[in-house]
């Protein structure tokens, strides 16, 4: 099922009729599931007067209507239009009986009324992102969608950060993903997603080991008998002959009590980069000044394939069994040839040539089984068992040749290294959850959780066919959780309070074992006033765990200049999160903002430090306090139902105190995205985005500011089921990624490293063509409609 979320906001209709009232009600499907974002339009004398959309619970409210007779029309893509020709409004409050929509019996061969809609909506504890509203990400992956939200950013390697941190958890329909962080975001095709819930203030119901929040991906799902699906092709053409080709498809069917789901995607990337890199190394007395001019040519060929399937079976009217599986495979071949010209104290010394190759193979599998049992209308029991296995193999080949600049022909092979690395990861995850809805406004959630994780890392390194290193490290981790969370409404205020108890143990070969015992509470308070002004206040205590790479007791990688290491003495950091949010709705405008503060005790920070002449180490160090502050805001203006304007912005600052003998470290970054969505006619949408990324300062590096423009156009052909999207990202070429590295300030550093990397652009043009099909059994619905008095 493909959602088209339609939001109608119109100028208030003046009238001389005395008295005003409101019309409200609920929109649902045949199984009683609420419809969010269904369009409710009000007509009078064949003229569209006003309208709204349903909220998360399927409810709608149309207020300030003069007394009179109206026509009500409810629409949702893929479902029959529901119409009530005569609604007499003669009281202050008119509540209609629940409206039940039935699936369309035909394929997508009807006119779709296209209107501008918001890309992101805020709720009490989360942001809801409408995937279909980001045209430039059409046919891409989940990370392409999220990067249109300023809360997210990506580095040169494509790793995603959320509110300045990579410590976030990814769920799929509430179930744990096989992998987390950027790897998970790059494996989920956008075409299979209905919406994304970015939980910025997780309650105690969620695991505590996600420092900045939860990303819950809600997949598209049908609830009525029949089948539907999509198949799409995306192609991007980039600078220097680079290209990305992607295929994606999803299919689902429901026959009586069995619901089947299948999603598959495949991509092929060809990326070639050329440009200069400047490296300077200076000692503290400035009598050793090393300068390197490097010209590099890089070529990356990457392929990936992902298949996700599932089945839900209704064992009874109150019992549902779900079985889900996922398979991912990816490989890449990276080749780089660089030429170096070295100068020492401004005198030419050496010509260098580096021939580097890297082959990477990765795969993961996941199997999940869950059971939902409704004890009665208020109580539900949820049992989940999940197993995943993943592995990565890397083969690196590095040959480095040198020659005097006075005699380039006298080339000598200085290094002929081969580096093999294998990682194997396994995870077992079990949950038992119980929920009790005491009333329409009060809920109690209880649960138990057990998770076991292990990871083995082996490394072999050769130089001139001689084995110089054979290392291995094994990491084991176990978690035991119990939680309770209570939500209610009291005196017009929303309350949610809970706590999670955790015991966890960590075992790492070659390092001291550690454990953690603690309570991790959460509290949320929200209040909405009559003038459509709402406030929220949140607190949660969470955990930031060091990864196996951060803890590694063995050297992860080393070349002729930099060594990457771990630090097995790192501890779990306890993180305190405080957030204050506000939202104000006007007639045509919505404004929201959130301030947050995050304090981590006993955290860590990865630095680059000199350890000798022309040698540096990259490793994490423990810190006492790490403070993060930030502000996010969103302003939406809808001057007409065809045009919507949005400005989203975010600013983050990180400050780390008492970093050993070093000075305090600080990081700051900012992002702003302006979007204009215009629907000039039926089945046609235009989108324009203007992006600004402020300069980002790290302890070891600085990323220059960038600004770029995106444009996309989407045309639907309802009679054929085809949709064509054309997009031009960074069509002005302003997003030139340029990063400068340096070592950390240290009282005992003897050398300073400064690296100015060659710029890379994100300019590309492309298209996404998709075919949608749908076939459902049409059911008879009782045409008699009653009012609820």
């Amino acid at each position: 099922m493909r959602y088209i979320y339609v939001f109608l906001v119109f100028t208030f209709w003046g009238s001389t009729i005395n008295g005003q009232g409101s019309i409200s009600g609920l929109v649902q499907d045949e199984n009683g599931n609420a419809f969010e974002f269904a369009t409710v339009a009000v007509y009078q004398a064949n003229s569209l007067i006003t309208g709204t959309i349903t909220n998360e619970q399927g409810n709608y409210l149309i207020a300030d209507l003069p007394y009179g007779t109206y026509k009500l029309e409810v629409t949702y893509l893929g479902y029959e239009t529901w119409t009530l020709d005569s609604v007499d409004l003669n009281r202050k409050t008119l509540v209609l009986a629940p409206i039940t929509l039935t699936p369309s019996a035909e394929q997508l061969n009807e006119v779709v009324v296209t209107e501008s809609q918001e890309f992101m909506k805020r709720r009490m504890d989360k942001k809801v992102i409408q995937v279909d509203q980001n045209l430039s990400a059409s046919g891409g992956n989940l990370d392409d969608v999220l990067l249109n939200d300023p809360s997210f950013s990506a580095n040169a390697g494509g790793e995603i950060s959320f509110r300045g941190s990579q410590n976030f958890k990814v769920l799929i329909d509430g179930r744990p993903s096989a992998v987390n962080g950027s790897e998970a975001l790059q494996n989920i095709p956008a075409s299979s997603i209905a919406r994304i819930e970015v939980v910025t203030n997780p309650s105690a119901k969620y695991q505590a080991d996600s420092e900045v929040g939860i990303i819950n991906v809600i997949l598209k799902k049908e609830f009525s008998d029949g089948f539907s699906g999509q198949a799409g092709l995306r192609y991007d053409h980039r600078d220097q002959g680079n290209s990305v080709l992607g295929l994606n498809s999803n299919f689902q069917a429901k026959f009586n009590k069995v619901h089947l789901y299948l999603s598959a995607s495949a991509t092929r990337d060809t990326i070639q980069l050329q440009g200069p890199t400047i490296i300077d190394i200076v000692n503290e007395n400035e009598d050793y000044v090393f300068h390197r001019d490097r010209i590099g040519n890089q070529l990356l060929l990457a392929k990936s394939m992902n298949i996700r399937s599932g089945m839900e079976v209704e064992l009874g009217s109150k019992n549902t069994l779900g079985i889900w599986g996922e398979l991912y495979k990816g490989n890449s071949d990276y080749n780089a040839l660089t030429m170096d010209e070295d100068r020492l104290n401004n005198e030419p010394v050496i010509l260098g040539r580096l021939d580097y190759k890297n082959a990477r193979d990765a795969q993961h599998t996941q199997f999940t089984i869950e059971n939902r049992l409704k004890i009665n209308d208020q109580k539900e029991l949820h049992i989940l068992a999940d197993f995943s296995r993943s592995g990565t193999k890397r083969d690196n080949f590095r040959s480095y040749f040198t020659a005097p600049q006075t005699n380039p022909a006298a080339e000598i092979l200085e290094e002929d290294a081969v580096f093999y690395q294998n990682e194997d990861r396994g995870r077992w995850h079990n949950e038992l959850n119980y929920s009790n809805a005491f009333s329409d406004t009060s809920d109690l959630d209880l649960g138990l959780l057990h998770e076991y994780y292990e990871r083995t890392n082996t490394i072999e390194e050769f130089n001139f066919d001689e084995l110089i290193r054979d290392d291995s490290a094994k990491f084991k981790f176990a978690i035991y959780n119990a939680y309770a969370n209570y939500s209610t409404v009291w005196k017009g205020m929303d309350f949610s309070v809970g706590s999670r108890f955790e015991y966890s143990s960590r075992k790492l070969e070659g390092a001291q074992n550690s454990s953690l015992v603690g309570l991790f509470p959460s509290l949320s308070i929200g209040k909405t006033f009559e003038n459509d002004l709402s406030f929220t206040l949140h607190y949660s205590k969470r955990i930031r765990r060091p990864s196996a790479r951060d803890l590694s007791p063995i050297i992860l990688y080393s070349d002729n200049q930099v060594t990457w290491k771990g630090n097995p003495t790192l501890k779990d950091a306890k993180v305190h999160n405080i957030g204050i949010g506000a939202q104000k709705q006007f007639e045509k405008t919505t404004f929201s903002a959130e301030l947050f503060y995050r304090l981590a005790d006993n955290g860590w920070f990865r630095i680059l430090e000199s350890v000798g002449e022309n040698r540096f180490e990259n490793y994490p160090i423990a810190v006492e306090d790490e403070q993060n502050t930030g502000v996010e805001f969103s302003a939406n203006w809808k001057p007409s139902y065809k045009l919507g304007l949005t400005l989203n912005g975010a600013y983050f600052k990180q400050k780390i105190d008492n970093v050993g003998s070093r000075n305090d470290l600080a990081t700051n970054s900012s992002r702003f995205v302006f979007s204009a969505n215009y629907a000039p006619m039926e089945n046609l949408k235009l989108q324009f985005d203007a992006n600004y990324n402020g300069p980002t300062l790290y302890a070891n590096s600085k990323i220059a500011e960038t600004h770029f423009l995106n444009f996309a156009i989407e045309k639907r052909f309802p009679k054929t089921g085809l949709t064509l999207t054309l997009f031009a990202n960074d069509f002005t070429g302003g997003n030139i990624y340029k990063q400068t590295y340096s070592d950390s300030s240290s009282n005992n550093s003897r050398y300073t490293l400064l690296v100015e990397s060659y710029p890379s652009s994100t300019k590309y043009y492309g298209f996404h063509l998709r075919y949608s099909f749908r076939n459902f059994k049409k059911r008879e619905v009782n045409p008699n409609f009653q009012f609820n008095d």
Side-chain angles (χ1 to χ4, degrees):
M1 179 182 67
R2 179 165 177 78
Y3 295 160
I4 296 294
Y5 306 136
V6 186
F7 182 28
L8 306 173
V9 179
F10 297 91
T11 307
F12 178 76
W13 178 70
S15 174
T16 59
I17 299 177
N18 293 326
Q20 291 182 333
S22 65
I23 300 175
S24 61
L26 169 70
V27 180
Q28 61 186 12
D29 69 6
E30 294 167 299
N31 297 323
N33 300 293
F35 273 120
E36 186 179 11
F37 305 116
T39 302
V40 182
V42 178
Y43 294 84
Q44 190 172 60
N46 295 323
S47 297
L48 186 59
I49 301 304
T50 187
T52 187
I53 59 171
T54 54
N55 63 12
E56 195 172 7
Q57 290 75 39
N59 299 314
Y60 64 91
L61 172 64
I62 303 172
D64 301 327
L65 277 175
Y67 287 168
T69 301
Y70 298 94
K71 174 184 174 181
L72 205 67
E73 187 176 274
V74 181
T75 57
Y76 196 83
L77 182 65
Y79 286 76
E80 299 286 351
T81 299
W82 185 95
T83 304
L84 185 62
D85 291 326
S86 180
V87 180
D88 293 324
L89 179 60
N90 54 15
R91 66 188 88 171
K92 288 291 184 182
T93 303
L94 178 61
V95 181
L96 303 184
I99 297 170
T100 301
L101 301 183
T102 59
S104 172
E106 303 175 3
Q107 294 185 359
L108 298 177
N109 57 359
E110 303 202 8
V111 173
V112 178
V113 180
T114 307
E115 304 182 20
S116 67
Q117 304 157 44
E118 296 177 36
F119 167 70
M120 181 174 61
K121 298 178 182 293
R122 288 188 178 269
R123 299 286 187 258
M124 177 179 176
D125 62 340
K126 61 189 175 186
K127 297 185 291 186
V128 180
I129 295 177
Q130 311 304 323
V131 175
D132 291 337
Q133 300 313 305
N134 188 351
L135 301 186
S136 60
S138 177
N141 292 322
L142 175 56
D143 57 339
D144 298 314
V145 179
L146 291 176
L147 287 175
N148 208 46
D149 178 358
S151 301
F152 295 86
S153 60
N155 61 19
E159 296 176 321
I160 305 296
S161 294
F162 173 36
R163 287 186 169 181
S165 172
Q166 296 183 13
N167 186 257
F168 55 85
K169 189 173 285 290
V170 178
L171 305 178
I172 301 175
D173 285 331
R175 302 183 299 272
S177 171
V179 291
N180 261 313
S182 299
E183 190 175 357
L185 303 183
Q186 295 165 358
N187 293 336
I188 305 176
S191 61
S192 65
I193 303 172
R195 65 182 184 275
I196 305 166
E197 297 177 348
V198 181
V199 185
T200 54
N201 300 283
S203 69
K205 292 190 296 183
Y206 297 95
Q207 281 185 256
D209 56 350
S210 52
E211 176 186 10
V212 291
I214 307 289
I215 299 175
N216 187 22
V217 180
I218 307 300
L219 300 177
K220 294 178 178 178
K221 186 177 181 181
E222 301 285 3
F223 296 97
S224 300
D225 287 356
F227 61 86
S228 68
Q230 287 184 354
L233 168 68
R234 172 170 171 145
Y235 176 77
D236 300 351
H237 179 76
R238 303 176 181 244
D239 285 349
Q240 300 181 358
N242 299 333
S243 64
V244 177
L245 178 65
L247 299 172
N248 57 79
S249 63
N250 61 80
F251 172 82
Q252 50 189 310
K254 187 173 186 298
F255 303 104
N256 196 9
K257 296 184 178 182
V258 179
H259 182 190
L260 304 175
Y261 175 86
L262 175 66
S263 173
S265 64
T267 60
R268 177 182 174 87
D269 294 12
T270 303
I271 301 175
Q272 184 172 347
L273 299 175
Q274 296 177 344
T277 300
I278 299 174
I279 301 174
D280 289 306
I281 302 175
V282 183
N283 70 350
E284 57 186 352
N285 298 322
E286 297 188 358
D287 54 10
Y288 177 92
V289 180
F290 174 84
H291 177 85
R292 170 174 291 171
D293 289 314
R294 169 172 290 176
I295 301 295
N297 292 279
Q298 304 179 63
L299 176 63
L300 173 67
L301 300 175
K303 296 181 291 183
S304 66
M305 177 272 295
N306 182 272
I307 299 175
R308 182 178 287 109
S309 63
M311 176 178 66
E312 286 186 347
V313 181
E314 297 176 16
L315 303 179
S317 60
K318 297 182 179 180
N319 194 354
T320 302
L321 175 68
I323 301 174
W324 306 89
E326 181 181 358
L327 171 65
Y328 168 83
K329 287 190 175 183
N331 62 75
S332 63
D333 290 301
Y334 173 79
N335 293 272
L337 178 63
T338 62
M339 306 295 293
D340 298 336
E341 291 188 7
D342 296 348
R343 303 175 71 88
L344 183 60
N345 297 330
N346 208 30
E347 295 292 331
V349 285
I350 293 176
L351 293 175
R353 177 168 62 90
L354 174 65
D355 188 0
Y356 178 80
K357 298 179 181 179
N358 174 279
R360 179 181 181 271
D361 289 288
Q363 66 176 12
H364 70 249
T365 57
Q366 182 181 24
F367 179 78
T368 307
I369 183 170
E370 61 177 342
N371 179 245
R372 294 184 182 273
L373 175 64
K374 288 188 175 182
I375 302 173
N376 53 39
D377 291 340
Q378 291 80 35
K379 301 176 182 179
E380 180 177 286
L381 192 65
H382 175 221
I383 303 173
L384 182 144
D386 174 85
F387 170 76
S388 63
R389 171 70 64 179
S390 57
T392 305
K393 180 182 178 182
R394 296 180 179 89
D395 296 340
N396 300 276
F397 305 89
R398 187 176 65 248
S399 298
Y400 189 67
F401 302 83
T402 62
Q405 292 197 27
T406 56
N407 186 14
E411 190 175 67
I412 300 174
L413 178 60
E414 295 281 353
E415 181 184 31
D416 188 21
V418 181
F419 182 88
Y420 300 110
Q421 183 179 29
N422 290 289
E423 295 178 0
D424 184 65
R425 303 178 293 273
R427 186 193 66 190
W428 292 262
H429 179 101
N430 305 289
E431 291 183 31
L432 174 63
N433 302 289
Y434 168 80
S435 61
N436 189 344
F438 295 105
S439 65
D440 293 338
T441 58
S442 298
D443 296 279
L444 175 65
D445 295 282
L446 305 172
L448 300 173
L449 179 145
H450 167 254
E451 185 171 290
Y452 175 78
Y453 174 86
E454 66 177 23
R455 175 173 179 156
T456 303
N457 193 359
T458 60
I459 294 176
E460 289 183 332
E461 188 172 1
F462 297 82
N463 193 19
F464 293 103
D465 296 327
E466 180 183 351
L467 179 65
I468 60 175
R469 187 159 69 98
D470 186 0
D471 287 335
S472 65
K474 192 166 186 178
F475 175 85
K476 296 181 179 180
F477 185 71
I479 306 174
Y480 301 89
N481 277 188
Y483 76 87
N485 196 84
Y486 179 69
S487 302
T488 189
V489 177
W490 180 68
K491 292 187 178 181
M493 300 181 67
D494 296 313
F495 287 90
S496 177
V497 59
S499 185
R500 179 177 285 264
F501 168 79
E502 173 170 313
Y503 167 75
S504 61
S505 63
R506 184 178 76 198
K507 296 181 180 180
L508 180 64
E509 289 183 355
Q512 185 176 0
N513 298 335
S514 66
S515 61
L516 172 70
V517 179
L519 287 174
F520 298 88
S522 67
L523 173 66
S524 294
I525 303 173
K527 172 67 175 177
T528 300
F529 299 91
E530 294 182 357
N531 60 352
D532 292 326
L533 176 64
S534 60
F535 289 95
T536 56
L537 174 64
H538 308 276
Y539 168 78
S540 64
K541 183 181 178 182
R542 309 194 64 77
I543 307 173
R544 180 186 175 199
R545 303 190 199 278
S547 68
R549 286 176 173 271
D550 291 327
L551 292 167
S552 177
I554 62 177
I555 295 174
L556 298 171
Y557 177 75
S558 179
D559 59 24
N560 57 0
Q561 203 161 45
V562 181
T563 298
W564 283 261
K565 301 169 56 179
N567 184 349
T569 65
L570 298 179
K571 300 179 180 179
D572 293 342
K574 297 179 180 179
V575 184
H576 302 272
N577 291 275
I578 300 174
I580 301 175
Q583 180 168 288
K584 171 64 177 177
Q585 292 184 340
F586 300 93
E587 185 178 1
K588 297 183 179 182
T589 306
T590 302
F591 180 81
S592 60
E594 183 176 358
L595 298 170
F596 72 86
Y597 173 76
R598 194 167 70 240
L599 173 64
D601 298 329
N602 298 317
W604 63 93
F605 194 82
R606 185 168 283 274
I607 66 165
L608 184 71
E609 187 173 55
S610 66
V611 292
E613 183 177 310
N614 211 8
R615 290 292 306 170
F616 297 86
E617 287 186 348
N618 184 307
Y619 65 98
I621 61 171
V623 298
E624 294 183 8
D625 293 314
E626 178 184 324
Q627 302 180 60
N628 294 265
T629 55
V631 58
E632 300 170 339
F633 73 88
S634 177
N636 301 285
W637 181 46
K638 198 171 178 65
S640 71
Y641 77 98
K642 291 186 176 183
L643 177 64
L645 306 175
T646 302
L647 177 63
N648 295 317
Y651 173 78
F652 309 120
K653 183 175 182 179
Q654 180 186 63
K655 186 175 183 295
I656 303 178
D657 300 326
N658 302 321
V659 191
S661 61
R662 299 160 182 81
N663 298 324
D664 294 345
L665 305 178
T667 300
N668 62 75
S669 63
S670 60
R671 282 198 70 202
F672 301 92
V673 179
F674 170 78
S675 297
N677 293 275
Y678 182 55
M681 62 183 68
E682 293 176 348
N683 306 308
L684 181 66
K685 289 197 297 186
L686 308 176
Q687 179 177 303
F688 171 81
D689 297 329
N691 294 259
Y692 173 77
N693 299 329
T696 302
L697 303 176
Y698 296 102
N700 297 123
S701 63
K702 175 183 178 181
I703 302 176
E705 67 176 38
T706 62
H707 44 81
F708 57 99
L709 304 174
N710 300 334
F711 178 76
I713 179 171
E714 180 185 88
K715 173 61 178 175
R716 296 177 179 271
F717 304 92
K719 293 184 178 181
T720 63
L722 293 174
T723 300
L724 176 64
T725 304
L726 304 175
F727 42 81
N729 278 31
D730 186 23
F731 57 85
T732 60
N735 190 23
I736 305 298
Y737 187 94
K738 191 175 183 180
Q739 187 165 6
T740 302
Y741 297 86
S742 63
D743 75 327
S744 304
S745 298
S746 174
N747 294 336
N748 57 12
S749 278
R750 294 190 296 141
Y751 297 89
T752 298
L753 170 68
L754 181 66
V755 181
E756 185 174 319
S757 63
Y758 55 83
S760 58
S761 172
T762 60
K763 182 178 181 180
Y764 65 89
Y765 306 89
F767 71 88
H768 178 226
L769 179 65
R770 70 177 182 269
Y771 171 69
S772 303
F773 57 90
R774 184 186 305 272
N775 190 345
F776 289 101
K777 295 180 181 179
K778 190 169 184 178
R779 300 180 181 179
E780 295 297 328
V781 180
N782 186 356
N784 298 321
F785 186 80
Q786 301 294 329
F787 293 98
N788 290 334
D789 292 324

